[in-house]
Amino acid sequence: MVGIDVLVVGGGGREHALALGLSKSNSVNQIHISPGNAGTAFLGTNHDVPSSDINGTINLAKKLDVDLVVVGPEAPLVAGLSDKLNLQGIACFGPDSIGAKLEGSKIYAKELMQSLNIPTAGLVIVENIDRINEALDTFSPPWVVKRDVLAGGKGVIVTEIRSEAFEALREGIELDNLVLLEEFLSGEEASVLVVMDESGYICLPASQDHKRLSDGDCGPNTGGMGAYAPAPVYTPAVQLRAISEIIDPMHHYLRNQDIPYRGCLYVGLMIDENGAPYVVEYNVRFGDPETQVTLPLISSDLGELLLSCAEGRISKYDFTTHPYSSATIVLASEGYPGVSITGREIIGADNNIEEGEIHAFVHHAATSISSSGKLVSNGGRVLSVTGIAPELRTAVEAAYEVMGSIKLSGSQYRLDIAHRGL
Ligand code: AMP
Ligand code: GLY
């Protein structure tokens, strides 16, 4: 069989994991990545087109005559990349702009969940500074304040301090004219990546992200500092409830749209002490670092998975996984999630472990090659190390062993990834 040519859009750790999975797929011939990073350059051809450049991406896909475009980040999907590729007859993994509103607008997502009776946190939309105190009285602390914009997971403030919540609400109104105040959900989080089209869906092994910067879940929210899978909190009983109360109703809705949803629906769950799942958020793409921790667990052909979804025939796909656990630790620049210090040399990013069933390896994210030929950091989350093994503990240890051998001045990583799973 002649393999397909694929263009992966994006340049983070998620896209490195996608390119790595595609490179191991028998169904795949050439891999192109735009813009990619220093790691993806070893798996395919990087192209200097930013993922925000919709027309540039379409022209690139046409010029390369690819069979499939796999979109990593949400912003190009919200901006209509998938719609435009489909008009050109190019298969795209990633929903059209209406499907992408599930992530693009938290208000839209909330209203849709409410209309489908999907369990989620209560919400007040605050548009007037004079009404902030009244809104704060609606819920007991802690308060959850969210901007209704794409913020890469960093636009959420959770606080028990009323004056802080007040300030966050005031600032949100000043920036965007409105801001969301949500009911606080307690429990444990899990991320379920659901690859869906109109013919059916496949749930990938559930993972647990670590959103806070520092050990013990302290510090500010980040894009994600590490993850592990499968997440034990997502028990078979929780899974049954998540499918019947959350995933099935949303799939039923999305498959019946004029343009059915084709791509990954990331379901961010909060699971309370009684095992009841609530939706914290939907994303319309693979998660980062959830992708790095989840894709290595898939044993069936990733290229075929993504193509069958983009072509609306996922129900025919034979999905299989390895009976392993995995853990991913993110290495971030000094300053992240604030202003990151970049341009520093990275040593040891080639280090890995290959010992029987135990593997650990690096996914690049914000890396590039400097003019003097050195591997350097060029953003907040620089790289991640993923460990895979029959036991979670061994996977975590392998990942930390490789992480300990990597040098990047001022960098930060959490030491307690997977602590709940262990
Ligand atoms: P989001 O950008 O909506 O995913 O939120 C980022 C993170 O903030 C989530 O992963 C949770 O850790 C936390 N969070 C968001 N909404 C809530 C909520 N209603 N209750 C508790 N924690 C929340
Ligand atoms: N790790 C969270 C996200 O990708 O949104």
Side-chain angles (χ1 to χ4, degrees):
M1 182 183 120
V2 184
I4 56 168
D5 293 346
V6 186
L7 171 63
V8 177
V9 176
R14 166 182 52 210
E15 288 76 22
H16 190 180
L18 284 163
L20 189 60
L22 290 168
S23 74
K24 295 179 178 162
S25 301
N26 288 331
S27 67
V28 173
N29 179 29
Q30 286 181 29
I31 302 169
H32 299 273
I33 313 96
S34 59
N37 56 41
T40 61
F42 288 100
L43 302 168
T45 311
N46 284 349
H47 299 269
D48 196 12
V49 178
S51 62
S52 55
D53 181 355
I54 306 296
N55 289 331
T57 303
I58 293 164
N59 290 337
L60 180 65
K62 287 202 313 210
K63 188 177 92 186
L64 297 170
D65 194 22
V66 292
D67 304 286
L68 172 68
V69 176
V70 178
V71 185
E74 62 280 9
L77 295 168
V78 173
L81 176 58
S82 181
D83 319 44
K84 290 189 176 168
L85 286 167
N86 285 323
L87 285 177
Q88 303 280 340
I90 302 171
C92 177
F93 181 88
D96 71 307
S97 52
I98 297 175
K101 273 180 80 178
L102 275 175
E103 179 166 359
S105 166
K106 288 179 191 288
I107 296 177
Y108 169 84
K110 199 58 113 177
E111 284 172 353
L112 185 55
M113 281 187 265
Q114 283 165 350
S115 75
L116 297 172
N117 277 320
I118 290 176
T120 184
L123 170 78
V124 177
I125 301 168
V126 195
E127 293 171 283
N128 190 325
I129 292 176
D130 299 336
R131 309 220 79 142
I132 291 180
N133 272 315
E134 188 187 321
L136 287 170
D137 291 336
T138 322
F139 302 121
S140 42
W143 291 280
V144 181
V145 181
K146 296 186 182 180
R147 291 181 62 196
D148 195 29
V149 293
L150 292 178
K154 291 174 273 184
V156 178
I157 288 167
V158 182
T159 178
E160 302 217 14
I161 303 167
R162 191 174 172 113
S163 59
E164 257 180 41
F166 189 100
E167 254 328 283
L169 287 164
R170 195 182 58 76
E171 207 177 290
I173 295 170
E174 279 175 8
L175 287 168
D176 312 318
N177 297 318
L178 60 81
V179 64
L180 315 189
L181 179 66
E182 262 192 28
E183 176 191 6
F184 178 79
L185 298 170
S186 62
E188 252 195 78
E189 286 182 76
S191 309
V192 187
L193 305 178
V194 186
V195 180
M196 65 164 68
D197 64 22
E198 61 272 37
S199 75
Y201 65 80
I202 291 167
C203 297
L204 307 189
S207 57
Q208 190 167 60
D209 191 7
H210 299 61
K211 296 258 164 78
R212 300 296 191 113
L213 180 68
S214 312
D215 290 353
D217 295 322
C218 298
N221 265 318
T222 68
M225 292 301 290
Y228 68 102
V233 64
Y234 197 67
T235 61
V238 172
Q239 182 180 13
L240 274 179
R241 288 193 64 170
I243 285 178
S244 71
E245 296 170 26
I246 292 167
I247 298 170
D248 272 345
M250 191 50 92
H251 179 244
H252 181 79
Y253 175 83
L254 294 173
R255 77 190 295 180
N256 287 310
Q257 297 309 293
D258 289 341
I259 302 176
Y261 192 103
R262 292 178 178 175
C264 177
L265 183 69
Y266 167 128
V267 185
L269 294 176
M270 186 70 80
I271 298 152
D272 77 8
E273 60 273 25
N274 302 315
Y278 295 83
V279 175
V280 176
E281 61 163 344
Y282 286 112
N283 295 322
V284 297
R285 45 153 180 96
F286 286 115
D288 188 334
E290 286 90 340
T291 308
Q292 294 92 304
V293 87
T294 308
L295 294 192
L297 296 177
I298 300 177
S299 51
S300 45
D301 187 295
L302 180 68
E304 185 51 34
L305 171 68
L306 303 178
L307 183 67
S308 21
C309 176
E311 294 183 343
R313 50 183 173 83
I314 205 165
S315 60
K316 303 242 160 44
Y317 179 79
D318 190 12
F319 177 68
T320 57
T321 55
H322 295 292
Y324 294 154
S325 291
S326 55
T328 294
I329 307 152
V330 170
L331 183 77
S333 292
E334 181 175 350
Y336 180 80
V339 178
S340 300
I341 302 178
T342 61
R344 288 183 171 162
E345 185 175 6
I346 307 159
I347 310 274
D350 292 338
N351 297 345
N352 65 355
I353 293 174
E354 288 276 343
E355 289 170 15
E357 291 183 297
I358 305 169
H359 303 264
F361 53 92
V362 169
H363 289 113
H364 287 237
T367 64
S368 61
I369 303 295
S370 72
S371 52
S372 57
K374 288 181 174 153
L375 181 69
V376 293
S377 58
N378 71 357
R381 291 189 291 173
V382 177
L383 54 78
S384 57
V385 180
T386 295
I388 305 172
E391 304 288 334
L392 178 61
R393 183 172 298 281
T394 323
V396 173
E397 282 167 6
Y400 274 114
E401 189 179 326
V402 171
M403 184 58 94
S405 70
I406 296 173
K407 302 280 170 280
L408 169 63
S409 168
S411 61
Q412 8 170 14
Y413 62 89
R414 278 181 65 160
L415 294 169
D416 64 347
I417 298 304
H419 63 102
R420 287 202 181 80
L422 299 168

